[in-house]
Amino acid sequence: MRVFNFAAGPAMLPLAVLEQAKAELCDWQGSGMSVMEVSHRSKAFVAVAAEAEADLRALLAIPSNYKVLFLQGGATLQFSAIPMNLAPPGASVDYVHTGAWSKKALTDAGRYANVHVVADGAASGYFAVPPEAGWQRDPTAAYLHYTPNETISGVEFGFVPDSGQVPLVADLSSTILSRPIEVARYGLIYAGAQKNIGPSGLTVVIVREDLVGRARPGTPPVLDYQAMAAEGSMLNTPPTFGWYLAGLVFKWLKAEGGLAAAAARNRAKMQALYGYIDGSGFYSNPVAVDSRSWMNVPFRLPRPELEKPFAAEAARAGLTNLDGHRSVGGMRASIYNAMPLEGVEALIGFMRDFAKRHG
Ligand SMILES: *Cc1c(COP(=O)(O)O)cnc(C)c1O
């Protein structure tokens, strides 16, 4: 039986995509092999790879002066690859610190560049995005990095920062494809796949052409955007299965009406869940209302000792992985693209019943 999986990542995938992958797993396109067993240089796979890129370009309306790279190493490797590619030795780089993932990004960047924190959410306990008006930006920074959605705390930017002439770099791991974005506002976008794109092991980088070809000496070729772009992300063997499956997810999103339709579905899910939490008198969400995440909804129970029974009973009801991140506790429901509204409604139904029994 399929459950409603509220994991933050690896996360739920659309059932239609899994069914298709299953149907063609052992004999892909009449090859007598699975897609995992064909050469990445074969005509058939190269076509799949190109189609995935074209579909992603169509979904996000990516301008033609941007490269799309399909890489390995997760978003975490990009924490280092970004300064290695965009910051010359000795350069200063701007970071907005809004929670755990931006902290990791700026810590890793500190090994390659002078990191300057332009704003820090500490004053709010990292439960709100610091207002842009108070940011202390360095106009000479090599780039401005931010984390549009902090997956662990459920804190999301309700705006795209205005970085002026400084390239804007965004870790969209947990919010990419949840709604339309204006790619031209960014110098570079990156995302690990395992939240809204496909299986783990694949990382998507969307980078403006003028930022490619600037890697510092000593950058490994697989981390050098220029070297990878020149080879169509096939300088070495790419994560073929992840790339293929991401392509199926992109086709599924297109068939479901593209990102405007995804945004409408995600807004409905998010509003239903926050609306219930706020009105429940039992559950609470600690995040400032204007900084609430569409994709990751943390919530607390009135007494911490209820957390374990809540998670256990929910799992028995087919609602899994509702425990919050080990660093923050509480509960968290991740409701990415593949989570249907019925899953959120089932969760609300369970929460209502649990509150009645423990209120
Ligand atoms: C999950 C996540 C990461 C880490 O991704 P990996 O692919 O595991 O390296 C980084 N940033 C954000 C915002 C995330 O949600």
mmCIF file of all heavy atoms in Angstrom, residues 6 273 276-277 282-283 299-317 319-324 330-333 346-355 357-358:
data_model
loop_
_atom_site.group_PDB
_atom_site.id
_atom_site.type_symbol
_atom_site.label_atom_id
_atom_site.label_comp_id
_atom_site.label_asym_id
_atom_site.label_seq_id
_atom_site.Cartn_x
_atom_site.Cartn_y
_atom_site.Cartn_z
ATOM 1 N N PHE A 6 5.486 12.270 4.158
ATOM 2 C CA PHE A 6 5.739 13.695 4.394
ATOM 3 C C PHE A 6 7.223 13.987 4.634
ATOM 4 O O PHE A 6 7.564 15.018 5.210
ATOM 5 C CB PHE A 6 4.890 14.177 5.579
ATOM 6 C CG PHE A 6 3.406 14.189 5.280
ATOM 7 C CD1 PHE A 6 2.614 13.075 5.539
ATOM 8 C CD2 PHE A 6 2.815 15.309 4.714
ATOM 9 C CE1 PHE A 6 1.255 13.073 5.245
ATOM 10 C CE2 PHE A 6 1.453 15.323 4.425
ATOM 11 C CZ PHE A 6 0.672 14.196 4.683
ATOM 12 N N LEU A 273 -3.367 23.544 5.403
ATOM 13 C CA LEU A 273 -2.627 23.056 6.569
ATOM 14 C C LEU A 273 -2.351 24.172 7.582
ATOM 15 O O LEU A 273 -2.622 24.005 8.778
ATOM 16 C CB LEU A 273 -1.321 22.388 6.102
ATOM 17 C CG LEU A 273 -0.535 21.619 7.166
ATOM 18 C CD1 LEU A 273 -1.431 20.684 7.981
ATOM 19 C CD2 LEU A 273 0.594 20.830 6.514
ATOM 20 N N TYR A 276 -5.602 25.165 9.266
ATOM 21 C CA TYR A 276 -6.029 24.250 10.321
ATOM 22 C C TYR A 276 -5.182 24.433 11.580
ATOM 23 O O TYR A 276 -5.705 24.540 12.689
ATOM 24 C CB TYR A 276 -5.996 22.779 9.857
ATOM 25 C CG TYR A 276 -6.209 21.889 11.041
ATOM 26 C CD1 TYR A 276 -7.459 21.868 11.679
ATOM 27 C CD2 TYR A 276 -5.157 21.184 11.617
ATOM 28 C CE1 TYR A 276 -7.648 21.131 12.846
ATOM 29 C CE2 TYR A 276 -5.334 20.456 12.770
ATOM 30 C CZ TYR A 276 -6.578 20.433 13.378
ATOM 31 O OH TYR A 276 -6.758 19.741 14.542
ATOM 32 N N ILE A 277 -3.848 24.491 11.401
ATOM 33 C CA ILE A 277 -2.940 24.618 12.563
ATOM 34 C C ILE A 277 -3.284 25.879 13.366
ATOM 35 O O ILE A 277 -3.454 25.835 14.590
ATOM 36 C CB ILE A 277 -1.470 24.652 12.093
ATOM 37 C CG1 ILE A 277 -1.050 23.277 11.555
ATOM 38 C CG2 ILE A 277 -0.533 25.100 13.221
ATOM 39 C CD1 ILE A 277 0.284 23.267 10.817
ATOM 40 N N PHE A 282 -4.529 23.871 19.392
ATOM 41 C CA PHE A 282 -3.792 22.706 19.893
ATOM 42 C C PHE A 282 -2.390 22.681 19.289
ATOM 43 O O PHE A 282 -1.401 22.670 19.999
ATOM 44 C CB PHE A 282 -4.565 21.434 19.520
ATOM 45 C CG PHE A 282 -3.998 20.160 20.107
ATOM 46 C CD1 PHE A 282 -4.313 19.749 21.397
ATOM 47 C CD2 PHE A 282 -3.152 19.340 19.347
ATOM 48 C CE1 PHE A 282 -3.787 18.568 21.930
ATOM 49 C CE2 PHE A 282 -2.631 18.158 19.869
ATOM 50 C CZ PHE A 282 -2.953 17.770 21.163
ATOM 51 N N TYR A 283 -2.331 22.776 17.966
ATOM 52 C CA TYR A 283 -1.040 22.797 17.270
ATOM 53 C C TYR A 283 -0.620 24.249 17.073
ATOM 54 O O TYR A 283 -1.449 25.161 17.058
ATOM 55 C CB TYR A 283 -1.167 22.126 15.897
ATOM 56 C CG TYR A 283 -1.702 20.709 15.970
ATOM 57 C CD1 TYR A 283 -3.066 20.450 15.779
ATOM 58 C CD2 TYR A 283 -0.854 19.646 16.238
ATOM 59 C CE1 TYR A 283 -3.558 19.161 15.847
ATOM 60 C CE2 TYR A 283 -1.353 18.346 16.308
ATOM 61 C CZ TYR A 283 -2.700 18.106 16.110
ATOM 62 O OH TYR A 283 -3.192 16.837 16.181
ATOM 63 N N PHE A 299 5.336 22.059 12.815
ATOM 64 C CA PHE A 299 4.314 22.406 13.815
ATOM 65 C C PHE A 299 4.645 21.714 15.125
ATOM 66 O O PHE A 299 5.369 20.722 15.169
ATOM 67 C CB PHE A 299 2.900 22.066 13.321
ATOM 68 C CG PHE A 299 2.673 20.625 12.953
ATOM 69 C CD1 PHE A 299 2.196 19.708 13.880
ATOM 70 C CD2 PHE A 299 2.915 20.186 11.650
ATOM 71 C CE1 PHE A 299 1.966 18.383 13.520
ATOM 72 C CE2 PHE A 299 2.689 18.863 11.289
ATOM 73 C CZ PHE A 299 2.216 17.955 12.221
ATOM 74 N N ARG A 300 4.132 22.303 16.181
ATOM 75 C CA ARG A 300 4.405 21.777 17.507
ATOM 76 C C ARG A 300 3.120 21.287 18.150
ATOM 77 O O ARG A 300 2.036 21.792 17.862
ATOM 78 C CB ARG A 300 5.015 22.875 18.383
ATOM 79 C CG ARG A 300 6.414 23.247 17.937
ATOM 80 C CD ARG A 300 6.899 24.456 18.683
ATOM 81 N NE ARG A 300 8.263 24.790 18.266
ATOM 82 C CZ ARG A 300 8.876 25.920 18.600
ATOM 83 N NH1 ARG A 300 8.253 26.810 19.362
ATOM 84 N NH2 ARG A 300 10.094 26.159 18.191
ATOM 85 N N LEU A 301 3.287 20.359 19.056
ATOM 86 C CA LEU A 301 2.181 19.863 19.867
ATOM 87 C C LEU A 301 2.241 20.597 21.202
ATOM 88 O O LEU A 301 3.291 21.114 21.571
ATOM 89 C CB LEU A 301 2.343 18.356 20.070
ATOM 90 C CG LEU A 301 2.220 17.570 18.756
ATOM 91 C CD1 LEU A 301 2.930 16.233 18.852
ATOM 92 C CD2 LEU A 301 0.768 17.365 18.394
ATOM 93 N N PRO A 302 1.129 20.650 21.929
ATOM 94 C CA PRO A 302 1.153 21.432 23.181
ATOM 95 C C PRO A 302 2.112 20.852 24.217
ATOM 96 O O PRO A 302 2.600 21.587 25.081
ATOM 97 C CB PRO A 302 -0.298 21.392 23.668
ATOM 98 C CG PRO A 302 -0.980 20.353 22.857
ATOM 99 C CD PRO A 302 -0.201 20.145 21.605
ATOM 100 N N ARG A 303 2.381 19.546 24.169
ATOM 101 C CA ARG A 303 3.315 18.929 25.121
ATOM 102 C C ARG A 303 4.276 18.028 24.343
ATOM 103 O O ARG A 303 3.827 17.192 23.552
ATOM 104 C CB ARG A 303 2.541 18.098 26.163
ATOM 105 C CG ARG A 303 1.540 18.912 26.982
ATOM 106 C CD ARG A 303 0.811 18.078 28.044
ATOM 107 N NE ARG A 303 -0.036 17.018 27.488
ATOM 108 C CZ ARG A 303 -1.244 17.221 26.953
ATOM 109 N NH1 ARG A 303 -1.752 18.432 26.886
ATOM 110 N NH2 ARG A 303 -1.935 16.200 26.490
ATOM 111 N N PRO A 304 5.590 18.195 24.580
ATOM 112 C CA PRO A 304 6.571 17.427 23.797
ATOM 113 C C PRO A 304 6.374 15.912 23.921
ATOM 114 O O PRO A 304 6.692 15.176 22.988
ATOM 115 C CB PRO A 304 7.924 17.849 24.389
ATOM 116 C CG PRO A 304 7.674 19.085 25.169
ATOM 117 C CD PRO A 304 6.224 19.128 25.530
ATOM 118 N N GLU A 305 5.824 15.457 25.047
ATOM 119 C CA GLU A 305 5.679 14.006 25.211
ATOM 120 C C GLU A 305 4.619 13.426 24.262
ATOM 121 O O GLU A 305 4.498 12.215 24.125
ATOM 122 C CB GLU A 305 5.387 13.618 26.678
ATOM 123 C CG GLU A 305 4.080 14.151 27.247
ATOM 124 C CD GLU A 305 4.241 15.527 27.918
ATOM 125 O OE1 GLU A 305 5.195 16.266 27.567
ATOM 126 O OE2 GLU A 305 3.404 15.863 28.777
ATOM 127 N N LEU A 306 3.875 14.300 23.606
ATOM 128 C CA LEU A 306 2.888 13.814 22.629
ATOM 129 C C LEU A 306 3.518 13.550 21.258
ATOM 130 O O LEU A 306 2.884 12.961 20.382
ATOM 131 C CB LEU A 306 1.759 14.847 22.475
ATOM 132 C CG LEU A 306 0.819 15.003 23.667
ATOM 133 C CD1 LEU A 306 -0.186 16.137 23.398
ATOM 134 C CD2 LEU A 306 0.063 13.701 23.945
ATOM 135 N N GLU A 307 4.779 13.997 21.066
ATOM 136 C CA GLU A 307 5.378 13.903 19.730
ATOM 137 C C GLU A 307 5.536 12.460 19.265
ATOM 138 O O GLU A 307 5.187 12.129 18.128
ATOM 139 C CB GLU A 307 6.742 14.629 19.711
ATOM 140 C CG GLU A 307 6.595 16.136 19.818
ATOM 141 C CD GLU A 307 7.915 16.873 19.969
ATOM 142 O OE1 GLU A 307 8.982 16.215 19.935
ATOM 143 O OE2 GLU A 307 7.879 18.106 20.129
ATOM 144 N N LYS A 308 6.064 11.618 20.142
ATOM 145 C CA LYS A 308 6.299 10.224 19.734
ATOM 146 C C LYS A 308 4.992 9.513 19.398
ATOM 147 O O LYS A 308 4.882 8.894 18.349
ATOM 148 C CB LYS A 308 7.083 9.471 20.821
ATOM 149 C CG LYS A 308 8.590 9.639 20.684
ATOM 150 C CD LYS A 308 9.343 8.417 21.238
ATOM 151 C CE LYS A 308 10.798 8.452 20.799
ATOM 152 N NZ LYS A 308 11.590 9.445 21.591
ATOM 153 N N PRO A 309 3.978 9.588 20.304
ATOM 154 C CA PRO A 309 2.706 8.941 19.955
ATOM 155 C C PRO A 309 2.076 9.531 18.689
ATOM 156 O O PRO A 309 1.499 8.793 17.884
ATOM 157 C CB PRO A 309 1.804 9.191 21.172
ATOM 158 C CG PRO A 309 2.625 9.842 22.213
ATOM 159 C CD PRO A 309 4.007 10.063 21.693
ATOM 160 N N PHE A 310 2.226 10.836 18.502
ATOM 161 C CA PHE A 310 1.664 11.454 17.289
ATOM 162 C C PHE A 310 2.277 10.820 16.050
ATOM 163 O O PHE A 310 1.565 10.374 15.143
ATOM 164 C CB PHE A 310 1.924 12.970 17.292
ATOM 165 C CG PHE A 310 1.376 13.686 16.082
ATOM 166 C CD1 PHE A 310 0.125 14.279 16.116
ATOM 167 C CD2 PHE A 310 2.106 13.744 14.900
ATOM 168 C CE1 PHE A 310 -0.388 14.928 14.993
ATOM 169 C CE2 PHE A 310 1.605 14.385 13.764
ATOM 170 C CZ PHE A 310 0.346 14.984 13.812
ATOM 171 N N ALA A 311 3.612 10.761 16.017
ATOM 172 C CA ALA A 311 4.292 10.227 14.829
ATOM 173 C C ALA A 311 3.957 8.760 14.623
ATOM 174 O O ALA A 311 3.731 8.315 13.489
ATOM 175 C CB ALA A 311 5.794 10.424 14.969
ATOM 176 N N ALA A 312 3.889 8.010 15.719
ATOM 177 C CA ALA A 312 3.635 6.574 15.605
ATOM 178 C C ALA A 312 2.213 6.312 15.120
ATOM 179 O O ALA A 312 1.989 5.493 14.220
ATOM 180 C CB ALA A 312 3.878 5.893 16.952
ATOM 181 N N GLU A 313 1.240 7.016 15.703
ATOM 182 C CA GLU A 313 -0.158 6.809 15.287
ATOM 183 C C GLU A 313 -0.377 7.274 13.852
ATOM 184 O O GLU A 313 -1.106 6.637 13.091
ATOM 185 C CB GLU A 313 -1.110 7.566 16.228
ATOM 186 C CG GLU A 313 -1.245 6.933 17.596
ATOM 187 C CD GLU A 313 -2.173 7.746 18.510
ATOM 188 O OE1 GLU A 313 -3.174 8.312 17.997
ATOM 189 O OE2 GLU A 313 -1.877 7.818 19.710
ATOM 190 N N ALA A 314 0.281 8.377 13.497
ATOM 191 C CA ALA A 314 0.144 8.873 12.114
ATOM 192 C C ALA A 314 0.686 7.833 11.137
ATOM 193 O O ALA A 314 0.067 7.548 10.102
ATOM 194 C CB ALA A 314 0.873 10.209 11.962
ATOM 195 N N ALA A 315 1.837 7.261 11.475
ATOM 196 C CA ALA A 315 2.437 6.264 10.573
ATOM 197 C C ALA A 315 1.488 5.077 10.402
ATOM 198 O O ALA A 315 1.344 4.548 9.288
ATOM 199 C CB ALA A 315 3.786 5.822 11.114
ATOM 200 N N ARG A 316 0.844 4.678 11.489
ATOM 201 C CA ARG A 316 -0.107 3.554 11.386
ATOM 202 C C ARG A 316 -1.286 3.919 10.490
ATOM 203 O O ARG A 316 -1.892 3.062 9.871
ATOM 204 C CB ARG A 316 -0.585 3.124 12.779
ATOM 205 C CG ARG A 316 0.417 2.249 13.513
ATOM 206 C CD ARG A 316 -0.234 1.448 14.650
ATOM 207 N NE ARG A 316 -0.667 2.297 15.756
ATOM 208 C CZ ARG A 316 0.163 2.747 16.707
ATOM 209 N NH1 ARG A 316 1.448 2.438 16.688
ATOM 210 N NH2 ARG A 316 -0.291 3.514 17.677
ATOM 211 N N ALA A 317 -1.590 5.215 10.425
ATOM 212 C CA ALA A 317 -2.685 5.680 9.566
ATOM 213 C C ALA A 317 -2.207 5.963 8.134
ATOM 214 O O ALA A 317 -2.945 6.525 7.320
ATOM 215 C CB ALA A 317 -3.326 6.934 10.181
ATOM 216 N N LEU A 319 0.404 7.916 7.266
ATOM 217 C CA LEU A 319 0.945 9.282 7.130
ATOM 218 C C LEU A 319 2.341 9.244 7.756
ATOM 219 O O LEU A 319 2.478 9.292 8.975
ATOM 220 C CB LEU A 319 0.047 10.286 7.859
ATOM 221 C CG LEU A 319 -1.447 10.199 7.521
ATOM 222 C CD1 LEU A 319 -2.280 10.983 8.533
ATOM 223 C CD2 LEU A 319 -1.711 10.723 6.115
ATOM 224 N N THR A 320 3.371 9.144 6.917
ATOM 225 C CA THR A 320 4.694 8.814 7.446
ATOM 226 C C THR A 320 5.659 9.992 7.443
ATOM 227 O O THR A 320 5.482 10.977 6.727
ATOM 228 C CB THR A 320 5.329 7.665 6.638
ATOM 229 O OG1 THR A 320 5.584 8.122 5.307
ATOM 230 C CG2 THR A 320 4.422 6.453 6.597
ATOM 231 N N ASN A 321 6.724 9.823 8.255
ATOM 232 C CA ASN A 321 7.862 10.760 8.304
ATOM 233 C C ASN A 321 7.452 12.178 8.712
ATOM 234 O O ASN A 321 7.900 13.157 8.121
ATOM 235 C CB ASN A 321 8.594 10.777 6.962
ATOM 236 C CG ASN A 321 9.316 9.467 6.724
ATOM 237 O OD1 ASN A 321 10.093 9.026 7.557
ATOM 238 N ND2 ASN A 321 9.032 8.816 5.605
ATOM 239 N N LEU A 322 6.633 12.268 9.746
ATOM 240 C CA LEU A 322 6.187 13.573 10.223
ATOM 241 C C LEU A 322 7.071 14.130 11.338
ATOM 242 O O LEU A 322 6.838 15.255 11.804
ATOM 243 C CB LEU A 322 4.725 13.494 10.684
ATOM 244 C CG LEU A 322 3.733 13.448 9.510
ATOM 245 C CD1 LEU A 322 2.403 12.850 9.928
ATOM 246 C CD2 LEU A 322 3.527 14.843 8.915
ATOM 247 N N ASP A 323 8.087 13.369 11.750
ATOM 248 C CA ASP A 323 8.978 13.894 12.789
ATOM 249 C C ASP A 323 9.748 15.086 12.233
ATOM 250 O O ASP A 323 10.168 15.072 11.080
ATOM 251 C CB ASP A 323 10.005 12.847 13.226
ATOM 252 C CG ASP A 323 9.417 11.450 13.238
ATOM 253 O OD1 ASP A 323 9.151 10.906 12.136
ATOM 254 O OD2 ASP A 323 9.221 10.936 14.333
ATOM 255 N N GLY A 324 9.959 16.090 13.089
ATOM 256 C CA GLY A 324 10.755 17.239 12.679
ATOM 257 C C GLY A 324 12.219 16.846 12.529
ATOM 258 O O GLY A 324 12.621 15.724 12.876
ATOM 259 N N GLY A 330 9.975 18.682 17.374
ATOM 260 C CA GLY A 330 8.637 19.004 16.892
ATOM 261 C C GLY A 330 8.273 18.146 15.699
ATOM 262 O O GLY A 330 8.899 17.108 15.447
ATOM 263 N N MET A 331 7.251 18.569 14.961
ATOM 264 C CA MET A 331 6.815 17.815 13.788
ATOM 265 C C MET A 331 7.051 18.669 12.548
ATOM 266 O O MET A 331 7.210 19.890 12.634
ATOM 267 C CB MET A 331 5.319 17.474 13.882
ATOM 268 C CG MET A 331 4.818 17.012 15.239
ATOM 269 S SD MET A 331 5.741 15.660 16.000
ATOM 270 C CE MET A 331 5.533 14.376 14.801
ATOM 271 N N ARG A 332 7.080 18.018 11.412
ATOM 272 C CA ARG A 332 7.198 18.758 10.156
ATOM 273 C C ARG A 332 6.538 17.952 9.050
ATOM 274 O O ARG A 332 6.828 16.766 8.881
ATOM 275 C CB ARG A 332 8.669 19.000 9.804
ATOM 276 C CG ARG A 332 8.855 19.634 8.420
ATOM 277 C CD ARG A 332 10.318 19.919 8.113
ATOM 278 N NE ARG A 332 11.155 18.725 8.323
ATOM 279 C CZ ARG A 332 12.420 18.629 7.932
ATOM 280 N NH1 ARG A 332 13.015 19.659 7.348
ATOM 281 N NH2 ARG A 332 13.117 17.533 8.152
ATOM 282 N N ALA A 333 5.668 18.605 8.321
ATOM 283 C CA ALA A 333 5.048 17.989 7.155
ATOM 284 C C ALA A 333 5.633 18.636 5.907
ATOM 285 O O ALA A 333 5.459 19.838 5.686
ATOM 286 C CB ALA A 333 3.534 18.183 7.194
ATOM 287 N N ALA A 346 -5.945 14.236 4.513
ATOM 288 C CA ALA A 346 -5.864 13.074 5.415
ATOM 289 C C ALA A 346 -5.076 13.445 6.664
ATOM 290 O O ALA A 346 -5.438 13.051 7.783
ATOM 291 C CB ALA A 346 -5.215 11.896 4.697
ATOM 292 N N LEU A 347 -4.003 14.218 6.487
ATOM 293 C CA LEU A 347 -3.199 14.646 7.644
ATOM 294 C C LEU A 347 -4.033 15.527 8.576
ATOM 295 O O LEU A 347 -4.033 15.334 9.793
ATOM 296 C CB LEU A 347 -1.953 15.404 7.167
ATOM 297 C CG LEU A 347 -1.109 16.051 8.269
ATOM 298 C CD1 LEU A 347 -0.575 15.010 9.244
ATOM 299 C CD2 LEU A 347 0.043 16.857 7.663
ATOM 300 N N ILE A 348 -4.767 16.472 7.997
ATOM 301 C CA ILE A 348 -5.591 17.366 8.820
ATOM 302 C C ILE A 348 -6.651 16.550 9.573
ATOM 303 O O ILE A 348 -6.899 16.777 10.761
ATOM 304 C CB ILE A 348 -6.233 18.471 7.947
ATOM 305 C CG1 ILE A 348 -5.144 19.410 7.413
ATOM 306 C CG2 ILE A 348 -7.287 19.255 8.734
ATOM 307 C CD1 ILE A 348 -5.627 20.392 6.356
ATOM 308 N N GLY A 349 -7.230 15.595 8.899
ATOM 309 C CA GLY A 349 -8.230 14.731 9.549
ATOM 310 C C GLY A 349 -7.621 13.999 10.735
ATOM 311 O O GLY A 349 -8.206 13.933 11.819
ATOM 312 N N PHE A 350 -6.414 13.480 10.524
ATOM 313 C CA PHE A 350 -5.738 12.771 11.614
ATOM 314 C C PHE A 350 -5.409 13.728 12.764
ATOM 315 O O PHE A 350 -5.602 13.409 13.942
ATOM 316 C CB PHE A 350 -4.447 12.102 11.108
ATOM 317 C CG PHE A 350 -3.613 11.560 12.213
ATOM 318 C CD1 PHE A 350 -3.915 10.334 12.806
ATOM 319 C CD2 PHE A 350 -2.543 12.294 12.728
ATOM 320 C CE1 PHE A 350 -3.164 9.840 13.865
ATOM 321 C CE2 PHE A 350 -1.791 11.816 13.794
ATOM 322 C CZ PHE A 350 -2.088 10.590 14.366
ATOM 323 N N MET A 351 -4.918 14.924 12.417
ATOM 324 C CA MET A 351 -4.543 15.903 13.449
ATOM 325 C C MET A 351 -5.764 16.299 14.283
ATOM 326 O O MET A 351 -5.679 16.451 15.508
ATOM 327 C CB MET A 351 -3.920 17.147 12.794
ATOM 328 C CG MET A 351 -2.541 16.882 12.205
ATOM 329 S SD MET A 351 -1.927 18.251 11.188
ATOM 330 C CE MET A 351 -1.427 19.449 12.431
ATOM 331 N N ARG A 352 -6.888 16.454 13.606
ATOM 332 C CA ARG A 352 -8.123 16.848 14.295
ATOM 333 C C ARG A 352 -8.516 15.760 15.307
ATOM 334 O O ARG A 352 -8.812 16.048 16.469
ATOM 335 C CB ARG A 352 -9.223 17.039 13.239
ATOM 336 C CG ARG A 352 -10.445 17.745 13.742
ATOM 337 C CD ARG A 352 -11.403 18.068 12.602
ATOM 338 N NE ARG A 352 -11.101 19.340 11.978
ATOM 339 C CZ ARG A 352 -10.980 19.549 10.662
ATOM 340 N NH1 ARG A 352 -11.155 18.538 9.818
ATOM 341 N NH2 ARG A 352 -10.709 20.734 10.193
ATOM 342 N N ASP A 353 -8.444 14.537 14.854
ATOM 343 C CA ASP A 353 -8.814 13.406 15.702
ATOM 344 C C ASP A 353 -7.839 13.284 16.883
ATOM 345 O O ASP A 353 -8.249 13.083 18.022
ATOM 346 C CB ASP A 353 -8.809 12.130 14.835
ATOM 347 C CG ASP A 353 -9.107 10.899 15.652
ATOM 348 O OD1 ASP A 353 -10.221 10.831 16.209
ATOM 349 O OD2 ASP A 353 -8.220 10.024 15.767
ATOM 350 N N PHE A 354 -6.545 13.449 16.594
ATOM 351 C CA PHE A 354 -5.525 13.336 17.654
ATOM 352 C C PHE A 354 -5.731 14.433 18.704
ATOM 353 O O PHE A 354 -5.636 14.179 19.903
ATOM 354 C CB PHE A 354 -4.123 13.434 17.030
ATOM 355 C CG PHE A 354 -3.004 13.154 17.986
ATOM 356 C CD1 PHE A 354 -2.526 11.858 18.174
ATOM 357 C CD2 PHE A 354 -2.417 14.192 18.707
ATOM 358 C CE1 PHE A 354 -1.483 11.606 19.070
ATOM 359 C CE2 PHE A 354 -1.381 13.947 19.606
ATOM 360 C CZ PHE A 354 -0.909 12.645 19.794
ATOM 361 N N ALA A 355 -6.023 15.638 18.230
ATOM 362 C CA ALA A 355 -6.235 16.756 19.163
ATOM 363 C C ALA A 355 -7.443 16.494 20.046
ATOM 364 O O ALA A 355 -7.426 16.800 21.247
ATOM 365 C CB ALA A 355 -6.410 18.061 18.374
ATOM 366 N N ARG A 357 -8.521 13.652 21.041
ATOM 367 C CA ARG A 357 -8.211 12.618 22.028
ATOM 368 C C ARG A 357 -7.220 13.085 23.090
ATOM 369 O O ARG A 357 -7.137 12.522 24.170
ATOM 370 C CB ARG A 357 -7.661 11.365 21.317
ATOM 371 C CG ARG A 357 -8.781 10.607 20.581
ATOM 372 C CD ARG A 357 -8.302 9.314 19.941
ATOM 373 N NE ARG A 357 -7.553 9.552 18.715
ATOM 374 C CZ ARG A 357 -6.259 9.273 18.565
ATOM 375 N NH1 ARG A 357 -5.573 8.759 19.565
ATOM 376 N NH2 ARG A 357 -5.643 9.532 17.444
ATOM 377 N N HIS A 358 -6.423 14.116 22.754
ATOM 378 C CA HIS A 358 -5.369 14.529 23.696
ATOM 379 C C HIS A 358 -5.527 15.967 24.179
ATOM 380 O O HIS A 358 -4.695 16.472 24.905
ATOM 381 C CB HIS A 358 -3.989 14.368 23.056
ATOM 382 C CG HIS A 358 -3.652 12.926 22.755
ATOM 383 N ND1 HIS A 358 -3.119 12.077 23.673
ATOM 384 C CD2 HIS A 358 -3.808 12.206 21.620
ATOM 385 C CE1 HIS A 358 -2.940 10.877 23.131
ATOM 386 N NE2 HIS A 358 -3.358 10.931 21.874
#
